[in-house]
Amino acid sequence: MVQNLYLSVLHTEMRITEGLIKQIMPKDVAIQIREGVPFVNTCEEYSEATVLFSDLVGFTEICSGLSPMQVAGLLNRMYMTFDTLTDANPNVYKVETIGDAYMLVSGLPDRTEHHAKHASDVAMEMVQAIQNVKIT
């Protein structure tokens, strides 16, 4: 009975770990790691890619008049909006969010000749979409 409990807890923790790996790594890399490929063997070299860094102008000033919960809500709505745009475009991959900065890439992990266009298309969509994110 205790052994079954341990196995159940272990299985739950493995699912949580797998979910986290899938959230922070490209799908192909996560699969390779799950299959036991050493992490260093999942590395590739890319000769071309485009990296997009976004930053909200005046974000610190905007936040100075907000409560911490309002700032968290604003960031959450902003990231959800950007994630929707990124998820809708198979040629870009979200890398990271830090504070009000959002980072995505095109041309890796899936190579594409038009990486700069794909990233700039999403950038323009982000500029339009952020106008609909409200401070509440």
Side-chain angles (χ1 to χ4, degrees), residues 46-62:
Y46 294 84
S47 60
E48 294 183 357
T50 299
V51 181
L52 180 145
F53 296 95
S54 74
D55 190 59
L56 295 180
V57 175
F59 185 75
T60 302
E61 184 178 329
I62 292 168

Side-chain angles (χ1 to χ4, degrees), residues 110-130:
D110 299 322
R111 289 171 172 82
T112 174
E113 180 181 344
H114 305 289
H115 50 86
K117 180 183 181 332
H118 297 304
S120 62
D121 287 347
V122 174
M124 296 305 293
E125 291 172 2
M126 290 168 75
V127 169
Q128 291 298 316
I130 195 66

Side-chain angles (χ1 to χ4, degrees), residues 16-57:
I16 291 169
T17 301
E18 187 171 322
L20 289 172
I21 288 172
K22 287 180 178 177
Q23 286 180 355
I24 63 171
M25 294 183 180
K27 181 181 175 183
D28 294 343
V29 173
I31 290 169
Q32 290 178 44
I33 290 171
R34 188 171 194 291
E35 291 174 350
V37 174
F39 185 75
V40 72
N41 293 349
T42 67
C43 298
E44 294 184 48
E45 185 174 310
Y46 294 84
S47 60
E48 294 183 357
T50 299
V51 181
L52 180 145
F53 296 95
S54 74
D55 190 59
L56 295 180
V57 175

Side-chain angles (χ1 to χ4, degrees), residues 4-5 14 22 33 45 51 53 67 71 73 75 81 83 98 101 106-107 111 119 126:
N4 287 343
L5 177 61
M14 287 175 66
K22 287 180 178 177
I33 290 171
E45 185 174 310
V51 181
F53 296 95
S67 72
V71 172
L75 286 170
T81 299
D83 286 349
I98 300 173
S106 183
R111 289 171 172 82
M126 290 168 75

